[in-house]
Amino acid sequence: MSDCRLDYIELLQQVVNKNPDRLLDVGKDEEQEEVPQPCRILPLPCSIPRRLAISPSLGGTPVTPDLAKSLRRILFGGTFHVFNYEWRKSFFQFREPNSELCYALETDGGGAQAIQMVVQARIIKHLLFMRQSGSEGRTLSSLSQVGQRVQEKALAAALSSSLWLAGQEVSATVTLVSEEYCITPHLDYKLDVFTEKLQLFTFYKEEDVRKFILDHIQCFKEEGSHGVILFLYSLIFSRSVDRLKEDLDSTTSHLLHLSLGNFVCRQALLNLLLTGRASPQVCNGSVPNEGEGQPLQRPLQGVLTRNDVGYLHWSREQMERDTLPQVGSMLKTPMFPVWVCCINRSFSVLFSLNRSLLSDWKMERLFQLYYYNGQNSQKTTARLSVDTHSHHWEAPSKDQDVEPEKRFPSLEMTIRTKWDGAAIDWNGTLPFY
């Protein structure tokens, strides 16, 4: 028995010798991560490939212990939470270039999906409305004629515009991972072996932000890059932790919360992504009073202005409990006809090819919407015909035994939060969301 124990200790020592850069948690022994098995071939999920780490000679400002701890607190509410494997493996990956869905990102089902789909909405906005002027020639097929370089430029534009918005259109900060550690272990902080290597790059022109991200686009779009987390860090530093605290209200103290074993985005983080301001509410403006009319000590913070892309929300569970939040017109009526949809806690994108849909009421009588949910199972962009004029939708009184999702598809109910009573035709596609 003692020989077996000795062999095991020697084996552990060999593993440690092979991984000299691996740092264990500085907390209690029982909280330390397990040493990986020696037969493991894949890299550790918390290690970033060397090719995706920048050289210290690139410049930038190294992260400090105080910055790292404030980053953790605004995200998790404490310094001992770290991103799990589902978050760490998430990055911005396009479908095959020059394919039918080449404009589309492949998304994860975890908490990172919300961030990926907001970026997806801005990619669609860029490809449809910023890359070409006017509406002439704007067809769905134009989204399928996108090569790898155009994909990268669209991703850089989407990321940079989000950061620039968070920086109040004055500045933006991009975080990348360097080859060397910038801070050393602290007893009140749990290491994750990449936040401690952050370098911060701040810019004062949006075009400089876009160019820098494009020059380092592999740090956001390649496997192992932690691309979604790096973008989230960039978003927080662009807004600044102090401004984020001012954005929040009594309902929200940090941006992520634990649900079913995974960290998911609170509404404040969604609004930060969408509007550049981490307001926790979806209503227009602020709410100074409680439901009974009593003044609140601190008003609830809603959305103050229209933004480039919009937001729609629907939940069958919330509808049945009569707790469905009423999204205000600032979010429902964006400047471009692209909406991030939160449907039963899953995120997707609706969009139109016609920008006049939001400025000419006659266009809202009969129009087309296109839908993408980010899942590998979706092979083609869904096309829906929306009729708000001739055939007012009403809930059917028969077929009460049919399950609710088939009688009232959730995507249709989401669309009706913007166009009340609309009749929706899936044009031969089996309803899904």
Side-chain angles (χ1 to χ4, degrees):
M1 185 70 172
S2 60
D3 290 340
C4 292
R5 178 175 176 79
L6 181 61
D7 291 343
Y8 180 66
I9 294 175
E10 291 175 349
L11 184 60
L12 288 180
Q13 185 62 52
Q14 291 175 11
V15 173
V16 172
N17 292 338
K18 290 180 180 178
N19 296 273
D21 293 333
R22 178 172 172 81
L23 297 179
L24 296 178
D25 186 10
V26 294
K28 298 178 181 179
D29 292 341
E30 61 266 22
E31 294 176 345
Q32 293 182 352
E33 297 178 3
E34 294 182 0
V35 176
Q37 296 298 320
C39 62
R40 185 183 178 104
I41 298 175
L42 296 174
L44 295 170
C46 59
S47 62
I48 291 182
R50 184 172 294 273
R51 72 180 186 280
L52 300 178
I54 61 169
S55 169
S57 63
L58 187 62
T61 303
V63 69
T64 64
D66 287 342
L67 274 178
K69 287 190 284 188
S70 64
L71 186 65
R72 287 277 180 80
R73 291 191 184 101
I74 200 65
L75 279 171
F76 304 106
T79 60
F80 283 95
H81 290 295
V82 296
F83 284 107
N84 60 15
Y85 174 71
E86 292 298 320
W87 274 90
R88 293 194 295 256
K89 73 180 181 65
S90 298
F91 58 105
F92 298 102
Q93 180 181 17
F94 280 95
R95 298 288 188 99
E96 190 70 21
N98 297 306
S99 65
E100 185 173 351
L101 289 175
C102 58
Y103 71 89
L105 296 174
E106 294 183 15
T107 67
D108 302 289
Q113 184 196 39
I115 298 175
Q116 290 168 318
M117 293 313 289
V118 175
V119 172
Q120 175 69 82
R122 288 204 166 100
I123 287 172
I124 292 172
K125 181 203 78 171
H126 174 80
L127 292 175
L128 282 180
F129 303 106
M130 310 303 290
R131 192 168 55 126
Q132 51 189 1
S133 59
S135 59
E136 186 175 349
R138 187 178 295 140
T139 63
L140 188 63
S141 62
S142 66
L143 287 179
S144 63
Q145 299 168 359
V146 175
Q148 180 178 336
R149 190 56 178 169
V150 176
Q151 287 177 334
E152 292 174 347
K153 288 182 178 179
L155 177 58
L159 298 179
S160 61
S161 64
S162 300
L163 300 182
W164 190 247
L165 194 62
Q168 297 182 319
E169 299 183 330
V170 173
S171 65
T173 298
V174 181
T175 61
L176 299 178
V177 175
S178 68
E179 297 173 350
E180 300 176 0
Y181 287 93
C182 302
I183 61 176
T184 54
H186 289 258
L187 292 177
D188 57 348
Y189 174 89
K190 184 174 182 178
L191 298 172
D192 61 24
V193 200
F194 71 93
T195 304
E196 301 78 30
K197 296 182 177 183
L198 292 181
Q199 290 278 351
L200 282 62
F201 301 84
T202 300
F203 303 91
Y204 299 93
K205 293 182 180 179
E206 185 177 5
E207 183 56 36
D208 292 341
V209 186
R210 183 184 293 111
K211 184 178 184 302
F212 183 80
I213 292 177
L214 185 59
D215 289 342
H216 300 88
I217 199 67
Q218 73 280 359
C219 297
F220 298 94
K221 68 178 286 284
E222 289 195 19
E223 187 174 6
S225 65
H226 297 49
V228 171
I229 298 177
L230 285 181
F231 171 61
L232 178 54
Y233 284 174
S234 301
L235 193 76
I236 291 172
F237 286 129
S238 294
R239 184 62 181 165
S240 85
V241 173
D242 288 339
R243 282 205 296 251
L244 286 172
K245 291 178 180 178
E246 294 175 0
D247 293 341
L248 302 177
D249 58 29
S250 59
T251 67
T252 306
S253 60
H254 48 279
L255 301 177
L256 299 173
H257 71 98
L258 196 61
S259 175
L260 302 177
N262 195 11
F263 286 104
V264 297
C265 299
R266 293 182 184 271
Q267 189 65 48
L269 178 50
L270 281 173
N271 286 353
L272 175 62
L273 288 159
L274 291 164
T275 72
R277 180 172 170 267
S279 52
Q281 314 301 325
V282 295
C283 60
N284 291 349
S286 60
V287 180
N289 300 319
E290 295 184 65
E292 297 80 13
Q294 295 295 322
L296 294 166
Q297 185 174 4
R298 185 181 179 187
L300 302 181
Q301 300 298 318
V303 178
L304 301 180
T305 59
R306 290 176 66 197
N307 197 45
D308 57 340
V309 298
Y311 177 74
L312 301 176
H313 179 102
W314 197 81
S315 164
R316 192 172 301 280
E317 178 186 357
Q318 289 177 319
M319 176 63 78
E320 292 173 350
R321 292 192 284 115
D322 198 27
T323 58
L324 187 68
Q326 298 301 307
V327 178
S329 60
M330 294 296 185
L331 286 174
K332 289 198 293 188
T333 309
M335 291 180 283
F336 296 89
V338 185
W339 294 266
V340 177
C341 300
C342 179
I343 308 175
N344 299 328
R345 301 183 182 180
S346 182
F347 291 86
S348 49
V349 174
L350 269 173
F351 62 97
S352 169
L353 305 177
N354 185 6
R355 188 175 179 180
S356 299
L357 179 64
L358 298 172
S359 58
D360 186 349
W361 63 270
K362 294 187 294 294
M363 297 293 177
E364 292 187 287
R365 290 185 174 182
L366 180 63
F367 57 94
Q368 307 292 315
L369 288 179
Y370 298 88
Y371 180 70
Y372 176 66
N373 69 359
Q375 304 303 307
N376 285 328
S377 57
Q378 186 173 352
K379 305 302 182 184
T380 184
T381 306
R383 180 174 65 89
L384 296 88
S385 298
V386 182
D387 187 342
T388 64
H389 183 66
S390 301
H391 306 90
H392 188 85
W393 174 85
E394 294 181 0
S397 58
K398 57 182 180 180
D399 298 329
Q400 297 296 326
D401 294 334
V402 178
E403 61 183 87
E405 187 59 39
K406 290 184 177 180
R407 293 174 59 212
F408 321 121
S410 292
L411 176 56
E412 294 186 18
M413 302 304 293
T414 304
I415 293 172
R416 292 183 186 112
T417 65
K418 165 67 177 170
W419 291 281
D420 187 30
I424 299 164
D425 184 353
W426 286 73
N427 296 298
T429 301
L430 189 66
F432 70 97
Y433 70 91

